[in-house]
Every structure is written in C-alpha cells, then in structure tokens.
Amino acid sequence: MFRPRRTRRAFAALDAATSFGEWHAAALEVDALLELDAWREDDDSPVYDGPSIRRFLARLRALRTGADVMGLADALHTGLHRHLPDLSDGSLYDSAFAGPKRLVDDFLTEVETSIAWLTEVPLSPELDARRLQAFRIQRRTFGRSALMLSGGATLGFHHLGVCKALLEHDALPTVLGGASMGAMIAAGIASRTDAELTELFADPSVLATKGLQRLSLREMFTQRAVLDPDVMQGVILNNVGNLTFAEAFERTGRIVNIAVSPTRRRQKPRVLCHLTASDVSLSSATLASSAVPGLFPPVQLERRLQDGTVRPYLPEERWIDGSMVSDVPTQRVGRLHNVNHFIVSQTNPHVVPFVHHGPQSGVFGFARRVLAGSVHRQGVQAVSVLRDVAGSTRVAPAVDVAHAMWAQSYGGDITIVPPVHPTAYLRTISNATDEELRRYILDGERGTWPQLAQIRDAMRVARALDGAVKRLKAKR
C-alpha cells in the first residue's frame, strides 16, 4: 500500500527507535498522520457501551463527593465486573499505535482513585476490619498477572529486553515463569532486586553467555550428549546465583516458577517454585529445565538443607528441558499463585512463525491465521497417530515428547514476539557475543513497547487492590 513520504518516515522512526521515548514519539506521529488520534478520543466503540461507562464514572465521583462508603464499594464491585471485560478487549489496543481509547485510561484512573479513597477514609475499628476483609476477598477474586518466558535457546536472550522494558515502566509482574532458556532468564530476574536489575540492564556484559561448549568425542559417547553440562552450570551460577527457591522469594518478593520435564514415561512434568520445592536450588532447576535431549544429559535436582548440606531431590528421578512438555505451564502456575492473566514472551524458533501477535487484519492476516491453525492441527493429528502406533515400544517416550510439543499452547492473554532477524535463526544454538546480547535486548524491548499500554492497563486494578490491602494492614 502506497504511503506519503512523511508517513513512511514516521513508520521508519517507529522501527528504528532505540528507546521507549523515541518509539512513543513516533507512535504519536503515526497516529496523527493516520488520524488514529481522533479514534482514540472518540468514546464510541462496538465492543463497549460508552455512555453507560461515562455514567458509571460520574457516579463514582458523586459517591466520593458524598462520602458514601458503602455505595461506592458496591458500585465499584458491580461496575468492575460489568465494564472491565469490555474495556480489556484486544481490538482497543490493536487499532492505534500509542494506546487504546482514551475512555480506557479514564475508567482505570477513576477506579484507582476510588480504591485509594476507600482505603484512606476513616472508619470505626469494626468497619475497618470488614473493609480489610472485603479488599482481601476482592483481590483474591480479581486475580493477578504473570510473565511467562518460553524456551528458544540463544533467541531466549530477547526475554532480557522484555523484562527491561517492563521493569522500566513498572509493569514487571511479581509472578514469573520459565522453561529452558526462559528458566535461566526468569531465575536471574527473580533472584535480583529492582536496583540490581537496573544495574544489570545498564551493563549486561556482566552476564556470562558462553555456556555452550562441546564435549570430547569420548565424553559424548559416555554421557550421550554433545555439550558440557558443567560449563553450562558455571554460567547459570554466575547469572542466577546459588539461592534456593525460598531464599530468592524471601530476598526479592518475586515468585519464580521453573518447568522441568520427566525422563520416565509415568512421571509427570513439574513446576518448581517456593511452594512446591522450597529448598531446591535455582541453579539445578534451571540446568534441568535447559537440558535439551541430545545436547545435554538429564539432570538430577539438588536441594539444600537448613544446615547447608546439599542432597539430591527425588534421587531416583532425572529431568530434561521444561519446554518439551510445558513451555508455558499456565494452568499449574494459575492454580499455585491465583494467576488468571498471562503475558507470554515467546521466542521458540519453531513457534514464532505461527504465533498471533499484534493486528492481523485484511486478507493476508486471515490467510496467515488459517495457515497457522491448519499446520498446528495437522501436526497434532500426525503425532497422535504416531503415539498410538508406538504403544509401549522403546520410541514411545520420544513420541510422547513430540506430541506434547505439538499439542501444548504457546501463547497467553498477551503474547510478545520480539522481531527475530533471519540470520539469528542460524545462531539459535551458539554462544552470544556482547554485541549480539545487546541486540537481543534491544529487539526484546522493541517487541514489548507496542504492547506496553495493554500490559500496564491489565495490571492496574489488581495492583490498586493489592496496594489497598498492604496499606490497610500497615495501619493495624
């Protein structure tokens, strides 16, 4: 489609931005040139009832002015359940580049203001206790967000850019999950405070990236692997540290979940966290989650007892790459941590071409969705047939893994897919140089900026409720 020169320059600036400020300025210009800023200011939309929402916001303001505590609490409860699902519709974020309809921000700002007012208004001790309990229930029923980081070998370094962009804009969820390379990044993020993460992103060269080193031919034969697990373990210790899951949670308040896959057919995949495996070391869990069959040998998990003694965790079991079976284990993470909204950073080279991300309008968007869906369905059907044929033969475990890889879901409520340059696929299993690492981080940021508004908005109400509970508890 032909575009005027000024519009082409604005789009080029959007793609070439090296900071969010540059990107956002270019996004505003593109919206103005395409008259999308007028769309943002217009309350009319087929996905929500604009006049009804404006009346709701006016009611919240009137109830606060009249100091009607019970009326405001009831209006918030019913209004959130009525209007928020409509205002979370993805089409409101796919149309303009700089953000959704202005009404979305007005709604969320008014809700945050009302929650803050309800938190601060003086009440009797009896009513104060009831208020705290009500906020606790609301927080529980509302749920929260989690960031899930996929596998992807060297391409997984893009996750660092995703986390950097979210941290810089106060949108990094407390709950993190990861498999394979995503487990390395998630563990490294969860073991660092915000200040330490800021230092890391200012100088990412402190990260060790040379974890892929070939074994000798003799060692390949004895270990049935190509790459040296000891070298990878050293890299993980440098980047993650030697904390247990419980120690990492106590240190930073972040909850990290690492997916590992079993080597036995009857064993189930696990999601390790401070609730399910508190004394297991992050380093051993990360190594296990990254043990790609054929490249690394299976890994035995380690636990550290209170006296500092290191012992095997489930000594009879060995574990392999978490993305084989649970690249994005949303169901288990959701049950464990009351998560009902998932942000997925997806970098698996066999998944990225088929993941829906961003606007998919027009004939080409429709054709892409049809092709991706067809390939996925045909793949699942093929490996299902193979699994039935394999039965209990020696190849059955491998076929089970193939079926799990095809059948599992790789996306989330919001799926971030960083721009992957074609040449990067050639270095999927290779050590990243410092220059490549910085490029991966920047591209990860570039993949996040267009979805930053939707991510932040999805977390605003949950964070307001969480903040209300913390402030009320602090007053007691």
Side-chain angles (χ1 to χ4, degrees), residues 215-236:
L215 294 165
S216 67
L217 289 176
R218 180 178 180 181
E219 289 171 323
M220 289 182 190
F221 180 78
T222 57
Q223 297 195 37
R224 297 183 181 181
V226 175
L227 301 176
D228 192 334
D230 293 333
V231 172
M232 178 59 77
Q233 179 75 315
V235 167
I236 290 172

Side-chain angles (χ1 to χ4, degrees), residues 53 76 81 85 169 196 206 245 309 368 425:
I53 292 173
L76 266 179
H81 286 281
H169 294 88
E196 290 168 340
V206 300
F245 280 92
T309 305
R368 185 181 183 278
Y425 284 101

